[in-house]
Tab-separated table of all heavy atoms in Angstrom:
chain	number	residue	atom	x	y	z
E	228	TYR	N	-81.834	-71.531	-47.328
E	228	TYR	CA	-82.894	-72.063	-48.179
E	228	TYR	C	-83.747	-73.109	-47.457
E	228	TYR	O	-84.751	-73.569	-47.971
E	228	TYR	CB	-82.293	-72.701	-49.447
E	228	TYR	CG	-81.263	-73.744	-49.109
E	228	TYR	CD1	-81.648	-75.035	-48.787
E	228	TYR	CD2	-79.913	-73.417	-49.059
E	228	TYR	CE1	-80.714	-75.983	-48.437
E	228	TYR	CE2	-78.980	-74.360	-48.701
E	228	TYR	CZ	-79.380	-75.643	-48.390
E	228	TYR	OH	-78.467	-76.569	-48.019
E	229	GLU	N	-83.322	-73.480	-46.255
E	229	GLU	CA	-84.053	-74.529	-45.557
E	229	GLU	C	-85.432	-74.014	-45.143
E	229	GLU	O	-85.619	-72.819	-44.944
E	229	GLU	CB	-83.309	-74.981	-44.283
E	229	GLU	CG	-81.920	-75.482	-44.523
E	229	GLU	CD	-80.883	-74.373	-44.474
E	229	GLU	OE1	-81.274	-73.184	-44.492
E	229	GLU	OE2	-79.689	-74.709	-44.447
E	230	PRO	N	-86.426	-74.925	-45.007
E	230	PRO	CA	-87.764	-74.487	-44.603
E	230	PRO	C	-87.677	-73.681	-43.305
E	230	PRO	O	-86.912	-74.033	-42.404
E	230	PRO	CB	-88.499	-75.813	-44.368
E	230	PRO	CG	-87.742	-76.826	-45.153
E	230	PRO	CD	-86.326	-76.369	-45.204
E	231	GLY	N	-88.412	-72.593	-43.255
E	231	GLY	CA	-88.416	-71.794	-42.024
E	231	GLY	C	-87.410	-70.665	-42.059
E	231	GLY	O	-87.481	-69.732	-41.268
E	232	THR	N	-86.442	-70.739	-42.955
E	232	THR	CA	-85.489	-69.630	-43.072
E	232	THR	C	-85.750	-68.935	-44.406
E	232	THR	O	-86.068	-69.593	-45.389
E	232	THR	CB	-84.024	-70.110	-43.054
E	232	THR	OG1	-83.855	-71.048	-44.104
E	232	THR	CG2	-83.659	-70.742	-41.743
E	233	THR	N	-85.631	-67.632	-44.399
E	233	THR	CA	-85.942	-66.915	-45.639
E	233	THR	C	-84.779	-66.074	-46.136
E	233	THR	O	-84.640	-65.855	-47.329
E	233	THR	CB	-87.153	-65.987	-45.456
E	233	THR	OG1	-86.961	-65.274	-44.252
E	233	THR	CG2	-88.448	-66.763	-45.454
E	234	ASN	N	-83.961	-65.584	-45.204
E	234	ASN	CA	-82.883	-64.752	-45.742
E	234	ASN	C	-81.553	-65.480	-45.730
E	234	ASN	O	-81.266	-66.302	-44.879
E	234	ASN	CB	-82.781	-63.413	-45.008
E	234	ASN	CG	-82.775	-63.595	-43.518
E	234	ASN	OD1	-82.497	-64.690	-43.055
E	234	ASN	ND2	-83.066	-62.547	-42.786
E	235	GLY	N	-80.783	-65.182	-46.704
E	235	GLY	CA	-79.497	-65.837	-46.882
E	235	GLY	C	-79.043	-65.538	-48.283
E	235	GLY	O	-79.786	-64.964	-49.070
E	236	ALA	N	-77.799	-65.902	-48.573
E	236	ALA	CA	-77.275	-65.567	-49.902
E	236	ALA	C	-76.595	-66.767	-50.537
E	236	ALA	O	-76.185	-67.704	-49.863
E	236	ALA	CB	-76.290	-64.413	-49.778
E	237	VAL	N	-76.502	-66.679	-51.838
E	237	VAL	CA	-75.818	-67.708	-52.607
E	237	VAL	C	-74.311	-67.465	-52.492
E	237	VAL	O	-73.845	-66.350	-52.741
E	237	VAL	CB	-76.235	-67.625	-54.095
E	237	VAL	CG1	-75.409	-68.565	-54.954
E	237	VAL	CG2	-77.720	-67.893	-54.245
E	238	ALA	N	-73.567	-68.484	-52.094
E	238	ALA	CA	-72.101	-68.362	-52.079
E	238	ALA	C	-71.580	-68.610	-53.490
E	238	ALA	O	-70.799	-67.837	-54.026
E	238	ALA	CB	-71.482	-69.340	-51.096
E	239	THR	N	-72.024	-69.703	-54.092
E	239	THR	CA	-71.707	-69.922	-55.497
E	239	THR	C	-72.726	-70.854	-56.130
E	239	THR	O	-73.502	-71.516	-55.423
E	239	THR	CB	-70.295	-70.470	-55.718
E	239	THR	OG1	-69.940	-70.285	-57.100
E	239	THR	CG2	-70.191	-71.951	-55.387
E	240	ALA	N	-72.704	-70.895	-57.446
E	240	ALA	CA	-73.595	-71.781	-58.191
E	240	ALA	C	-72.766	-72.488	-59.257
E	240	ALA	O	-71.825	-71.897	-59.805
E	240	ALA	CB	-74.696	-70.951	-58.855
E	241	SER	N	-73.103	-73.748	-59.536
E	241	SER	CA	-72.415	-74.454	-60.612
E	241	SER	C	-72.785	-73.785	-61.932
E	241	SER	O	-73.771	-73.039	-62.011
E	241	SER	CB	-72.833	-75.926	-60.631
E	241	SER	OG	-74.171	-76.043	-61.089
E	242	TYR	N	-72.004	-74.053	-62.980
E	242	TYR	CA	-72.294	-73.405	-64.259
E	242	TYR	C	-73.673	-73.793	-64.787
E	242	TYR	O	-74.340	-72.997	-65.438
E	242	TYR	CB	-71.159	-73.676	-65.261
E	242	TYR	CG	-69.976	-72.768	-64.956
E	242	TYR	CD1	-69.107	-73.058	-63.902
E	242	TYR	CD2	-69.789	-71.586	-65.636
E	242	TYR	CE1	-68.071	-72.199	-63.568
E	242	TYR	CE2	-68.747	-70.722	-65.318
E	242	TYR	CZ	-67.898	-71.036	-64.285
E	242	TYR	OH	-66.878	-70.166	-63.955
E	243	GLU	N	-74.132	-74.996	-64.462
E	243	GLU	CA	-75.480	-75.416	-64.877
E	243	GLU	C	-76.528	-74.546	-64.183
E	243	GLU	O	-77.530	-74.157	-64.784
E	243	GLU	CB	-75.726	-76.884	-64.521
E	243	GLU	CG	-74.876	-77.886	-65.283
E	243	GLU	CD	-73.459	-78.025	-64.714
E	243	GLU	OE1	-73.121	-77.298	-63.754
E	243	GLU	OE2	-72.701	-78.862	-65.233
E	244	ALA	N	-76.298	-74.239	-62.897
E	244	ALA	CA	-77.254	-73.402	-62.157
E	244	ALA	C	-77.196	-71.955	-62.642
E	244	ALA	O	-78.196	-71.238	-62.640
E	244	ALA	CB	-76.963	-73.483	-60.659
E	245	ARG	N	-76.006	-71.529	-63.066
E	245	ARG	CA	-75.861	-70.146	-63.559
E	245	ARG	C	-76.725	-69.920	-64.796
E	245	ARG	O	-77.175	-68.809	-65.046
E	245	ARG	CB	-74.386	-69.828	-63.866
E	245	ARG	CG	-73.554	-69.736	-62.594
E	245	ARG	CD	-72.079	-69.461	-62.866
E	245	ARG	NE	-71.291	-69.825	-61.681
E	245	ARG	CZ	-70.033	-69.498	-61.470
E	245	ARG	NH1	-69.369	-68.801	-62.362
E	245	ARG	NH2	-69.415	-69.878	-60.368
E	246	GLU	N	-76.934	-70.990	-65.559
E	246	GLU	CA	-77.788	-70.841	-66.756
E	246	GLU	C	-79.218	-70.454	-66.403
E	246	GLU	O	-79.946	-69.922	-67.232
E	246	GLU	CB	-77.769	-72.126	-67.570
E	246	GLU	CG	-76.491	-72.214	-68.361
E	246	GLU	CD	-76.386	-73.430	-69.247
E	246	GLU	OE1	-77.436	-74.066	-69.513
E	246	GLU	OE2	-75.259	-73.727	-69.648
E	247	PHE	N	-79.614	-70.744	-65.185
E	247	PHE	CA	-80.958	-70.345	-64.732
E	247	PHE	C	-80.941	-68.932	-64.140
E	247	PHE	O	-81.950	-68.458	-63.648
E	247	PHE	CB	-81.474	-71.330	-63.677
E	247	PHE	CG	-81.787	-72.694	-64.246
E	247	PHE	CD1	-80.804	-73.664	-64.362
E	247	PHE	CD2	-83.072	-72.991	-64.678
E	247	PHE	CE1	-81.083	-74.918	-64.898
E	247	PHE	CE2	-83.370	-74.239	-65.215
E	247	PHE	CZ	-82.373	-75.203	-65.328
E	248	GLY	N	-79.785	-68.301	-64.113
E	248	GLY	CA	-79.690	-66.943	-63.584
E	248	GLY	C	-79.260	-66.885	-62.124
E	248	GLY	O	-79.282	-65.817	-61.518
E	249	VAL	N	-78.854	-68.017	-61.565
E	249	VAL	CA	-78.392	-68.006	-60.173
E	249	VAL	C	-76.930	-67.571	-60.159
E	249	VAL	O	-76.131	-68.016	-60.976
E	249	VAL	CB	-78.522	-69.416	-59.537
E	249	VAL	CG1	-78.075	-69.380	-58.078
E	249	VAL	CG2	-79.946	-69.924	-59.649
E	250	GLU	N	-76.585	-66.683	-59.196
E	250	GLU	CA	-75.183	-66.238	-59.124
E	250	GLU	C	-74.777	-65.896	-57.698
E	250	GLU	O	-75.642	-65.713	-56.832
E	250	GLU	CB	-74.960	-65.031	-60.043
E	250	GLU	CG	-75.864	-63.862	-59.724
E	250	GLU	CD	-75.717	-62.710	-60.719
E	250	GLU	OE1	-75.332	-62.974	-61.869
E	250	GLU	OE2	-75.989	-61.567	-60.328
E	251	SER	N	-73.455	-65.810	-57.490
E	251	SER	CA	-72.896	-65.488	-56.175
E	251	SER	C	-73.493	-64.195	-55.639
E	251	SER	O	-73.709	-63.250	-56.402
E	251	SER	CB	-71.378	-65.311	-56.262
E	251	SER	OG	-70.754	-66.521	-56.503
E	252	ALA	N	-73.723	-64.170	-54.322
E	252	ALA	CA	-74.185	-62.993	-53.589
E	252	ALA	C	-75.668	-62.662	-53.813
E	252	ALA	O	-76.192	-61.736	-53.208
E	252	ALA	CB	-73.324	-61.765	-53.902
E	253	GLN	N	-76.331	-63.461	-54.655
E	253	GLN	CA	-77.764	-63.237	-54.870
E	253	GLN	C	-78.541	-63.672	-53.610
E	253	GLN	O	-78.118	-64.588	-52.915
E	253	GLN	CB	-78.165	-64.153	-56.027
E	253	GLN	CG	-79.508	-63.930	-56.626
E	253	GLN	CD	-79.645	-64.809	-57.874
E	253	GLN	OE1	-79.472	-66.023	-57.791
E	253	GLN	NE2	-79.940	-64.200	-58.992
E	254	ALA	N	-79.678	-62.990	-53.375
E	254	ALA	CA	-80.520	-63.427	-52.257
E	254	ALA	C	-81.021	-64.839	-52.565
E	254	ALA	O	-81.349	-65.153	-53.705
E	254	ALA	CB	-81.705	-62.488	-52.100
E	255	ILE	N	-81.054	-65.663	-51.550
E	255	ILE	CA	-81.414	-67.060	-51.786
E	255	ILE	C	-82.862	-67.158	-52.294
E	255	ILE	O	-83.198	-68.035	-53.099
E	255	ILE	CB	-81.181	-67.904	-50.512
E	255	ILE	CG1	-80.845	-69.350	-50.894
E	255	ILE	CG2	-82.341	-67.883	-49.565
E	255	ILE	CD1	-79.408	-69.630	-51.078
E	256	SER	N	-83.708	-66.220	-51.849
E	256	SER	CA	-85.106	-66.250	-52.297
E	256	SER	C	-85.184	-66.056	-53.817
E	256	SER	O	-85.968	-66.719	-54.496
E	256	SER	CB	-85.908	-65.161	-51.578
E	256	SER	OG	-85.252	-63.923	-51.731
E	257	GLN	N	-84.335	-65.193	-54.315
E	257	GLN	CA	-84.298	-64.939	-55.756
E	257	GLN	C	-83.783	-66.191	-56.491
E	257	GLN	O	-84.307	-66.547	-57.555
E	257	GLN	CB	-83.346	-63.773	-56.002
E	257	GLN	CG	-83.649	-62.981	-57.245
E	257	GLN	CD	-82.610	-61.861	-57.423
E	257	GLN	OE1	-82.018	-61.368	-56.456
E	257	GLN	NE2	-82.392	-61.466	-58.664
E	258	ALA	N	-82.783	-66.835	-55.907
E	258	ALA	CA	-82.247	-68.063	-56.508
E	258	ALA	C	-83.330	-69.140	-56.561
E	258	ALA	O	-83.494	-69.826	-57.577
E	258	ALA	CB	-81.043	-68.549	-55.709
E	259	LEU	N	-84.087	-69.248	-55.479
E	259	LEU	CA	-85.137	-70.276	-55.425
E	259	LEU	C	-86.238	-70.006	-56.448
E	259	LEU	O	-86.828	-70.935	-56.995
E	259	LEU	CB	-85.724	-70.358	-54.011
E	259	LEU	CG	-84.821	-71.065	-52.979
E	259	LEU	CD1	-85.327	-70.797	-51.563
E	259	LEU	CD2	-84.726	-72.560	-53.243
E	260	ASP	N	-86.496	-68.725	-56.706
E	260	ASP	CA	-87.477	-68.381	-57.750
E	260	ASP	C	-86.982	-68.842	-59.122
E	260	ASP	O	-87.737	-69.360	-59.935
E	260	ASP	CB	-87.718	-66.858	-57.810
E	260	ASP	CG	-88.582	-66.390	-56.641
E	260	ASP	OD1	-89.209	-67.261	-55.996
E	260	ASP	OD2	-88.602	-65.174	-56.367
E	261	ALA	N	-85.689	-68.597	-59.349
E	261	ALA	CA	-85.114	-68.938	-60.656
E	261	ALA	C	-84.917	-70.445	-60.809
E	261	ALA	O	-85.080	-70.998	-61.889
E	261	ALA	CB	-83.773	-68.221	-60.824
E	262	LEU	N	-84.566	-71.071	-59.703
E	262	LEU	CA	-84.231	-72.492	-59.746
E	262	LEU	C	-84.733	-73.161	-58.461
E	262	LEU	O	-84.051	-73.130	-57.445
E	262	LEU	CB	-82.699	-72.660	-59.861
E	262	LEU	CG	-82.167	-74.078	-59.913
E	262	LEU	CD1	-82.475	-74.737	-61.255
E	262	LEU	CD2	-80.639	-74.080	-59.694
E	263	PRO	N	-85.936	-73.746	-58.512
E	263	PRO	CA	-86.475	-74.371	-57.291
E	263	PRO	C	-85.626	-75.551	-56.845
E	263	PRO	O	-84.835	-76.090	-57.620
E	263	PRO	CB	-87.859	-74.863	-57.734
E	263	PRO	CG	-88.137	-74.209	-59.032
E	263	PRO	CD	-86.835	-73.872	-59.658
E	264	ARG	N	-85.835	-75.941	-55.595
E	264	ARG	CA	-85.091	-77.105	-55.093
E	264	ARG	C	-85.642	-78.376	-55.726
E	264	ARG	O	-86.854	-78.551	-55.834
E	264	ARG	CB	-85.233	-77.205	-53.568
E	264	ARG	CG	-84.525	-76.106	-52.836
E	264	ARG	CD	-84.704	-76.269	-51.343
E	264	ARG	NE	-83.870	-77.359	-50.832
E	264	ARG	CZ	-83.920	-77.815	-49.581
E	264	ARG	NH1	-84.791	-77.299	-48.730
E	264	ARG	NH2	-83.142	-78.775	-49.180
Side-chain angles (χ1 to χ4, degrees):
Y228 55 83
E229 302 89 347
T232 57
T233 47
N234 49 19
V237 173
T239 197
S241 71
Y242 282 78
E243 293 80 357
R245 290 178 199 193
E246 282 182 17
F247 291 86
V249 182
E250 58 185 26
S251 290
Q253 192 173 56
I255 209 90
S256 52
Q257 207 182 333
L259 285 166
D260 285 345
L262 180 72
R264 291 180 75 187

